[in-house]
């Protein structure tokens, strides 16, 4: 770990954490941060580089960077953004941590909006959505006007707002959870920081892991309705050819979704430095105290990822299988329907418990005992679902075609 | 990309999506059926939240054919269909049952109910 630059700002309110893993071609967010309408002392900029590269893209904006840290991870280790989030949280001096894209544009009121939002709603986690423009003529970044980004080529602009903020049908996939997430540093430390579990290795990751756990711990999630970020196209923006951890088919981590569903607040793998801060066992403040767990250097190695061994370490003793909770015990496996976990059903604990020595045997027993009687119903349900979804998609397709023919914009 | 490749890709996408819907719905059916076995013992009324009219219709068909006990069904396709945060006494004292897919879709509305211990996420 090596510092290129260390922050000298005494009391910033906001700490912006920007990441790089030797891939970023442009850090133009720094240009827009230099044009903010608040006192520069109110915010600090922290750059975390995963490997050892001293990026040339940062040099033109070096005066805007307060802390610049190289984690110096070995070149044969795959990138893990959550480790960088944790380094940023430890290094941050501000009350509010902002994890955001470093290649996006922001308006002059960006920092002011964040500060105001936290003054008005202290117990929140704030997200700021992003306009995305797919025009390739804006690459390499040429400092377009904001209106240019939100007009021709913009894929998610609806009446001056982003589709994610306007649409309330599929929030998780329409909103850009990775664009900008803001939370109080103390809150982030209280939930154990970002999860360093191997499931978040590579492209399937994001600050939403912390958002979901903050929601589980009682914080309110807010999406800013008037402040946005602006992103223009660049190669590799969708994580092409990147390693992907478990996701739901639309690049949302299923491990993070499981945390949301189960109400979990702590990470599966907590960073030691964050833990020390949380338990106040280590009084040494600052990123000098940041520690990277030694096993990560092995399990995140490209060689081991190629072997496909990462899923072994991802196994846990508790699994969900077809609506049943499967727990591994010293004697074997035990399964019970998921609703029994609810306190209202606690009196029925044991009534539906199924035991087996192996997981395969347990699955077979569960099918025999509970699922078998639905053998005739399930094919009918399957058929109905296929037919109705096919009809629904056909109708959607025809509506879009009709919209194009009549020159209407279909949203 | 060749046409047959595009068709194959779309088909796999459709198959995976519908497969996920079916698995989630099967989980709901199995759990509701098992809860039905406990009904005589006497439980609080149950409300099932689904996110499509298709699922609601199938659940009603299963109720008509007496394969599942009768429960109240709420269809929440958009967040605006349900104003949970402003309804402290939402659907009275009944216990709400949702699949994990519906929960993640509307978690901002439903998380507060979970804190009231009135929500079962399958």
């Amino acid at each position: 770990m090596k510092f290129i630059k260390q922050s000298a700002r005494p009391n910033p309110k906001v700490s912006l954490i920007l990441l790089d893993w030797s891939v970023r071609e442009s850090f133009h967010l720094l240009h827009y941060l230099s044009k903010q309408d608040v006192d520069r002392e109110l915010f600090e900029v922290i750059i975390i580089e995963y490997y050892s590269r001293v990026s040339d893209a940062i040099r033109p904006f070096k005066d805007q960077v307060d802390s610049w840290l190289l984690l110096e991870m070995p070149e044969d280790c795959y990138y893990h953004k959550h480790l960088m989030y944790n380094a940023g949280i430890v290094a941050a001096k501000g009350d509010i941590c902002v994890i955001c894209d470093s290649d996006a544009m922001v308006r002059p009121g960006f920092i002011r909006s964040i500060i105001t939002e936290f003054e008005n709603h202290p117990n929140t986690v704030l997200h700021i959505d992003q306009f995305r423009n797919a025009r390739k003529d804006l690459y390499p970044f040429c400092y377009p006007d904001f209106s240019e980004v939100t007009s021709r080529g913009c894929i998610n602009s609806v009446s001056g707002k982003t589709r994610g903020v306007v649409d309330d049908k599929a929030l998780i996939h329409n909103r850009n959870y990775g664009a900008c997430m803001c939370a109080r540093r103390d809150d982030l430390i209280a939930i154990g920081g970002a999860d360093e579990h191997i499931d978040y290795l590579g492209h399937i990751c994001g600050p939403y892991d912390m958002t979901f756990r903050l929601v589980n711990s009682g914080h309110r999630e807010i999406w800013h309705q008037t402040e946005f970020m602006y992103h223009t196209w660049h190669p590799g923006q969708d994580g092409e050819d990147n390693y992907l951890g478990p996701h739901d088919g639309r690049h949302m981590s299923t491990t993070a979704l499981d945390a949301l569903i189960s109400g979990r607040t702590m990470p599966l793998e907590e960073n030691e430095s964050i833990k020390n801060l949380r338990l106040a066992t280590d009084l040494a403040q600052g990123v000098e105290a940041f520690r990277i767990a030694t096993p990560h250097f092995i399990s995140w190695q490209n060689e081991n990822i190629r072997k496909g061994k990462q899923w072994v370490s991802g196994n846990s003793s508790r699994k969900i299988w077809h609506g049943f909770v499967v727990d591994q015990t010293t004697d074997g496996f035990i399964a019970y329907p998921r609703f029994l976990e609810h306190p209202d059903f606690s009196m029925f604990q044991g009534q539906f418990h199924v035991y087996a020595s192996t997981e395969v045997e347990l699955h077979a027993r569960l099918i025999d005992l509970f699922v078998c009687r639905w053998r005739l119903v399930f094919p009918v349900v399957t058929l109905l679902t296929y037919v109705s979804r096919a009809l629904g998609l056909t109708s959607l397709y025809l509506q879009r075609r009709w919209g194009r023919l009549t020159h209407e914009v279909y949203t | 990309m060749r046409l047959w490749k595009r068709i194959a890709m779309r088909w796999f996408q459709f198959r995976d999506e519908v497969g996920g819907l079916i698995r989630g719905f099967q989980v709901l059916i199995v759990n509701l059926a098992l809860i039905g076995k406990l009904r005589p013992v006497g439980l609080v009324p149950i409300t099932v939240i689904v996110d499509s009219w298709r699922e609601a219709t199938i659940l009603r068909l299963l109720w008509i054919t007496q394969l599942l006990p009768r429960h109240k069904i709420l269809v929440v396709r958009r967040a605006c269909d349900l104003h949970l945060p402003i309804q402290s006494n939402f659907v009275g004292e009944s216990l709400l049952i949702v699949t994990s897919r519906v929960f993640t879709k509307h978690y901002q509305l439903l998380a507060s109910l979970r804190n009231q211990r009135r929500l079962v996420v399958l």
Side-chain angles (χ1 to χ4, degrees):
Chain A
M1 213 151 34
K2 182 179 156 188
F3 268 108
I4 303 290
K5 204 176 175 185
Q6 236 174 324
S7 176
R9 300 203 190 276
N11 291 310
K13 268 194 175 177
V14 176
S15 297
L16 284 115
I17 300 164
L18 310 180
L19 313 183
D20 189 15
W21 50 104
S22 300
V23 291
R24 286 254 176 263
E25 292 178 10
S26 179
F27 276 85
H28 48 262
L29 175 74
L30 298 170
H31 165 77
Y32 294 94
L33 289 178
S34 69
K35 303 199 176 303
Q36 291 299 301
D37 59 7
V38 292
D39 183 2
R40 187 60 183 83
E41 289 299 316
L42 283 177
F43 68 96
E44 64 170 354
V45 177
I46 302 164
I47 305 263
I48 309 286
E49 158 64 42
Y50 192 69
Y51 299 108
S52 309
R53 184 181 80 152
V54 180
S55 174
D56 288 335
I58 299 174
R59 288 189 198 280
F61 315 106
K62 205 175 171 183
D63 57 327
Q64 285 301 317
V65 178
D66 297 298
S67 292
W68 188 352
L69 174 69
L70 313 180
L71 290 184
E72 294 185 313
M73 289 292 282
E75 291 293 324
D76 63 346
C77 264
Y78 211 81
Y79 73 92
H80 198 305
K81 286 191 197 174
H82 289 204
L83 180 76
M84 293 187 265
Y85 296 156
N86 284 333
I89 293 166
V90 172
K93 287 181 184 171
D95 179 32
I96 303 162
C97 286
V98 177
I99 297 168
C100 64
D101 271 358
S102 45
D103 58 350
M105 302 155 63
V106 291
R107 288 187 184 270
F110 179 70
I111 298 289
R112 185 168 37 83
S113 300
I114 293 169
I115 294 172
T116 310
E117 202 64 42
F118 274 90
E119 279 171 358
N120 294 338
H121 310 283
N123 192 31
T124 56
V125 46
L126 173 70
H127 274 270
I128 295 175
D129 206 5
Q130 192 175 65
F131 285 106
R132 289 185 83 87
N133 194 300
R135 273 170 57 188
K136 294 187 178 176
D137 59 312
L138 297 178
Y139 173 81
F141 188 71
C142 52
Y143 297 90
D145 195 59
F146 288 101
S147 58
E148 210 177 337
V149 179
T150 54
S151 55
R152 188 171 66 86
C154 186
I155 57 170
N156 64 338
S157 174
V158 179
S159 317
K161 291 186 175 185
T162 58
R163 186 189 299 276
V165 166
V166 175
D167 187 13
D168 60 353
K169 202 172 175 184
L171 305 179
I172 280 202
H173 296 114
N174 277 339
R175 291 175 168 176
N176 189 337
Y177 276 83
C180 178
M181 180 264 207
C182 321
R184 287 196 183 277
R185 184 175 180 263
D186 290 346
D187 295 340
L188 292 173
I189 289 168
I191 59 156
D195 195 339
E196 292 186 5
H197 194 271
I198 197 159
D199 281 359
Y200 297 105
L201 191 75
H203 186 64
I204 304 299
C205 62
Y208 58 85
D209 150 53
M210 291 183 281
T211 302
F212 292 163
R213 287 185 288 114
L214 282 168
V215 169
N216 287 342
S217 69
H219 290 75
R220 194 169 150 226
E221 182 185 323
I222 291 179
W223 284 77
H224 210 291
Q225 296 294 311
T226 51
E227 192 66 46
F228 299 101
M229 297 185 89
Y230 303 79
H231 187 274
T232 54
W233 182 89
H234 61 77
Q237 61 176 12
D238 298 319
E240 292 103 337
D241 302 326
N242 276 214
Y243 169 76
L244 304 178
H247 65 97
D248 66 348
R250 294 179 71 179
H251 289 192
M252 199 80 184
S253 166
T254 44
T255 310
L257 290 173
D258 282 343
L260 180 63
I261 293 160
S262 62
R264 177 165 59 81
T265 55
M266 295 309 287
L268 294 171
E269 270 189 59
E270 188 177 7
N271 182 278
E272 195 188 332
S273 309
I274 298 277
K275 190 178 180 180
N276 289 340
L277 284 173
R278 181 168 61 84
L279 302 173
T281 51
D282 192 352
L283 295 175
Q285 292 287 319
V287 84
E288 296 86 355
F290 187 68
R291 293 184 188 95
I292 302 168
T294 320
H296 291 342
F297 292 100
I298 297 155
S299 57
W300 297 352
Q301 266 180 1
N302 295 334
E303 189 65 24
N304 287 331
I305 294 164
R306 272 195 289 272
K307 284 179 191 165
K309 286 185 176 173
Q310 63 275 20
W311 302 111
V312 178
S313 57
N315 279 346
S316 62
S317 61
R318 185 181 181 275
K319 288 179 184 170
I320 304 298
W321 187 83
H322 289 255
F324 291 89
V325 180
V326 178
D327 273 333
Q328 192 171 3
T329 61
T330 46
D331 303 328
F333 292 88
I334 178 173
Y336 50 89
R338 206 163 180 188
F339 70 85
L340 283 183
E341 289 189 315
H342 194 271
D344 278 13
F345 295 99
S346 56
M347 65 187 106
F348 305 110
Q349 286 281 353
Q351 199 164 327
F352 293 117
H353 279 193
V354 178
Y355 301 89
S357 53
T358 65
E359 211 173 342
V360 178
E361 193 188 327
L362 186 82
H363 292 172
R365 290 200 66 194
L366 285 174
I367 289 171
D368 284 344
L369 282 171
F370 301 118
V371 185
C372 211
R373 63 189 293 257
W374 295 92
R375 202 166 270 167
L376 290 173
V377 176
F378 282 162
V380 179
V381 170
T382 305
L383 183 70
L384 285 173
T385 310
Y386 266 102
V387 170
S388 71
R389 282 301 291 163
L391 287 174
L393 287 173
T394 310
S395 139
L396 193 70
Y397 175 76
L398 290 174
Q399 278 182 54
R400 281 187 176 161
R401 296 293 297 181
W402 178 252
R404 277 181 209 157
L405 281 172
T406 54
H407 303 288
E408 288 169 4
V409 179
Y410 178 73
T411 56
Chain B
M1 198 187 293
R2 286 187 180 175
L3 182 66
W4 67 267
K5 262 193 172 177
R6 284 176 63 183
I7 293 169
M9 203 178 76
R10 289 283 180 195
W11 164 249
F12 288 133
Q13 202 178 353
F14 174 70
R15 189 196 60 182
D16 292 348
E17 190 211 331
V18 177
L21 289 177
I22 292 165
R23 275 193 300 277
F25 195 55
Q26 286 180 355
V27 166
L28 181 68
I29 290 174
V30 170
N31 276 268
L32 284 177
L34 292 175
I35 290 171
K37 286 187 176 179
L38 305 173
R39 291 281 289 175
V41 182
L43 284 169
V44 289
I46 287 168
T47 302
V48 183
I49 299 180
V50 291
D51 67 341
S52 70
W53 290 108
R54 177 193 63 250
E55 290 181 346
T57 309
I58 295 172
L59 282 178
R60 287 194 180 106
L61 281 173
L62 291 172
W63 159 59
I64 289 167
T65 52
Q66 295 192 331
L67 285 165
L68 281 184
R70 189 181 177 181
H71 300 298
K72 191 179 175 186
I73 298 167
L74 277 179
V75 181
V76 185
R77 296 185 70 232
R78 292 176 176 274
C80 60
D81 293 343
L82 206 56
H83 297 287
L84 294 178
I86 55 167
Q87 294 185 22
S88 55
N89 194 25
F90 176 72
V91 291
E93 287 298 308
S94 84
L95 188 71
L96 293 152
I97 295 185
V98 289
T99 59
S100 49
R101 193 173 57 81
V102 177
F103 180 77
T104 51
K105 202 170 167 184
H106 300 294
Y107 72 92
Q108 287 163 325
L109 298 172
L110 297 170
S112 59
L113 283 174
R114 187 171 57 188
N115 298 339
Q116 294 171 27
R117 303 173 82 183
R118 287 179 50 210
L119 187 73
V120 180
V121 185
L122 299 176

